[in-house]
Amino acid sequence: MRAARLIKMVLLLQSRPSMTAAELGRELEVSERTVTRDAQALSEAGVPVYADRGRAGGYRLIGGYRTRLTGLARGEAEALFLSGVPGALREMGLDDAASAARLKVSAALLPSLRDASRTAAQRFHLDAPGWFHEPRTPELLPSIAEAVWDDLVLRVSYGRQGSVVERELEPYGLVLKAGVWYLAARVRDDARDFRVYRIDRIESVAVPADARRFERDEEFELPAFWAERAEEFARAILRAEVVVRLTASGVRQLPYVTGQVSAREALATAGAEADGRVTVTLPVESEDVAYTQLMTLGPEAEVVAPDALRERFVAAARRMGGWYG
């Protein structure tokens, strides 16, 4: 544990001109006295840690000292090679850059660790697209990815509801969801208006002639933004409600049939029946969608309302009864 702390201390000092004992103590979660002892241990081990005394003093590395990657443990080295998603990198046009980076890192590793990329790839693989869908890479993805990396303003034509709209965007990030690529971007000159665009619906992209760079909002976090928008989208399409009685098995299967958001809201207000079933009010996209989804549950679900949907299930049950006698 101390060895890991010493390595972290060196890396912290390598990344900053100097740090006080209090700052190092906070980062390393130790006392200032422990920081002093660790600095002395590093110095005795040949790491040129120098202590400046006085109110503005602190610890620093002298002589341009830099540590090497040969301090990586096997688990750390293998995790490094897992950090990229090969398919996604290839689609964004970054495969060559990623390959070169892996080669450079491999060359810096100890000989005993240079098989880390192979052993990791043999054991773990991420297959992002969903089942039964042929993934298609949008032709414009590499150009958009380049603009995302370089913080370049983009002018795009976007297909929406039968029309094409023009937008000048600040592209903040890319998301790959179940084989579909999305762009998280802010509309130019509207500091509050972050939106999500399906990249396969973008018909053209262009970088303005002056190749303007935009100032990123440092508070923007792509994972949090995506989670919030995904939740909003899931709720927005739930425009109708049906009342359903579920068996215990039906309750367990509901999230896999209707989706997490719909099932969570329904089960939060479930009422128990005398026969052990529960009655829920289920948000759904439409009665047609509800019919398809709830039919999957078979005898584990009974539609109570609306009447029109219940009659459809009654008719379906009669047909099935006829087939099975």
Side-chain angles (χ1 to χ4, degrees), residues 6 17 27 40 59 76 87 96 108 119 124 153 156 166 204 221 226 231 237 251 260 265 293 297 306 312 318 320 325:
L6 292 174
E27 291 283 348
Q40 183 177 354
Y59 292 93
E76 294 170 334
D96 289 342
T119 57
F124 300 98
V153 173
V156 306
E166 302 286 334
S204 67
E221 295 183 1
W226 178 257
E231 181 91 359
I237 64 174
V251 169
Q260 297 287 338
E265 292 189 5
Q293 292 175 335
L297 295 177
R312 289 178 68 177
R318 286 172 179 162
M320 292 183 68

Side-chain angles (χ1 to χ4, degrees), residues 7-19 24 27 59-61 65-67:
I7 292 173
K8 185 175 181 181
M9 185 174 180
V10 173
L11 293 174
L12 285 169
L13 293 175
Q14 183 175 298
S15 64
R16 306 179 194 181
S18 69
M19 294 182 70
L24 284 167
E27 291 283 348
Y59 292 93
R60 60 187 175 89
L61 294 174
Y65 178 86
R66 300 189 67 82
T67 187

Side-chain angles (χ1 to χ4, degrees), residues 30 42 78 109 142 148 151 165 168 175 198 215 238 241 258 262 289 305:
V30 296
L42 287 172
E78 291 177 346
L109 292 175
V148 169
D151 295 337
V165 297
E168 198 162 278
V175 176
R198 273 188 63 143
E215 289 284 336
L238 302 176
E241 291 182 341
T258 64
S262 180
V289 172

Side-chain angles (χ1 to χ4, degrees), residues 5-282:
R5 189 175 71 241
L6 292 174
I7 292 173
K8 185 175 181 181
M9 185 174 180
V10 173
L11 293 174
L12 285 169
L13 293 175
Q14 183 175 298
S15 64
R16 306 179 194 181
S18 69
M19 294 182 70
T20 65
E23 291 172 336
L24 284 167
R26 284 195 298 270
E27 291 283 348
L28 301 171
E29 300 181 346
V30 296
S31 67
E32 293 185 30
R33 181 174 296 180
T34 300
V35 168
T36 301
R37 288 199 298 264
D38 286 352
Q40 183 177 354
L42 287 172
S43 180
E44 292 173 354
V47 178
V49 178
Y50 181 79
D52 290 314
R53 301 190 181 279
R55 181 176 298 179
Y59 292 93
R60 60 187 175 89
L61 294 174
I62 61 175
Y65 178 86
R66 300 189 67 82
T67 187
R68 300 191 178 198
L69 285 175
T70 50
L72 285 175
R74 170 170 291 277
E76 294 170 334
E78 291 177 346
L80 176 65
F81 285 101
L82 285 174
S83 62
V85 183
L89 290 171
R90 183 172 56 252
E91 291 180 8
M92 288 188 291
L94 299 174
D95 195 35
D96 289 342
S99 177
R102 286 192 294 269
L103 287 172
K104 289 178 180 179
V105 172
S106 293
L109 292 175
L110 289 170
S112 61
L113 299 179
R114 287 177 186 165
D115 66 340
S117 61
R118 181 179 59 83
T119 57
Q122 286 175 339
R123 289 163 175 79
F124 300 98
H125 175 66
L126 175 61
D127 185 8
W131 288 104
F132 314 120
H133 295 282
E134 185 69 25
R136 295 181 180 177
T137 304
E139 293 182 4
L140 299 175
L141 178 60
S143 300
I144 295 172
E146 184 176 354
V148 169
W149 280 113
D150 294 337
D151 295 337
L152 290 176
V153 173
L154 279 179
R155 187 176 295 119
V156 306
S157 299
Y158 186 74
R160 187 180 67 181
Q161 298 176 347
S163 62
V164 178
V165 297
E166 302 286 334
R167 289 282 187 272
E168 198 162 278
L169 304 176
E170 297 175 352
Y172 267 68
L174 293 167
V175 176
L176 177 61
K177 171 69 172 180
V180 179
W181 283 95
Y182 297 87
L183 171 67
R186 183 164 61 182
V187 178
R188 186 69 172 166
D189 299 325
D190 188 341
R192 298 167 299 173
D193 196 4
F194 283 96
R195 302 183 184 180
V196 175
Y197 298 87
R198 273 188 63 143
I199 290 183
D200 57 8
R201 293 179 184 168
I202 295 178
E203 300 186 2
S204 67
V205 298
V207 176
D210 54 359
R212 288 172 292 171
R213 295 179 182 271
F214 63 90
E215 289 284 336
R216 292 182 68 91
D217 182 349
E218 296 300 328
E219 296 183 357
F220 178 84
E221 295 183 1
L222 183 59
F225 169 78
W226 178 257
E228 180 181 345
R229 289 304 171 92
E231 181 91 359
E232 290 176 359
F233 174 76
R235 291 178 182 276
I237 64 174
L238 302 176
R239 303 184 181 92
E241 291 182 341
V242 299
V243 180
V244 187
R245 288 194 186 99
L246 298 168
T247 65
S249 177
V251 169
R252 290 193 298 270
Q253 296 178 53
L254 189 65
Y256 304 101
V257 171
T258 64
Q260 297 287 338
V261 173
S262 180
R264 184 171 64 245
E265 292 189 5
L267 295 175
T269 58
E273 300 284 340
D275 61 359
R277 294 186 296 172
V278 297
T279 301
V280 301
T281 299
L282 181 69

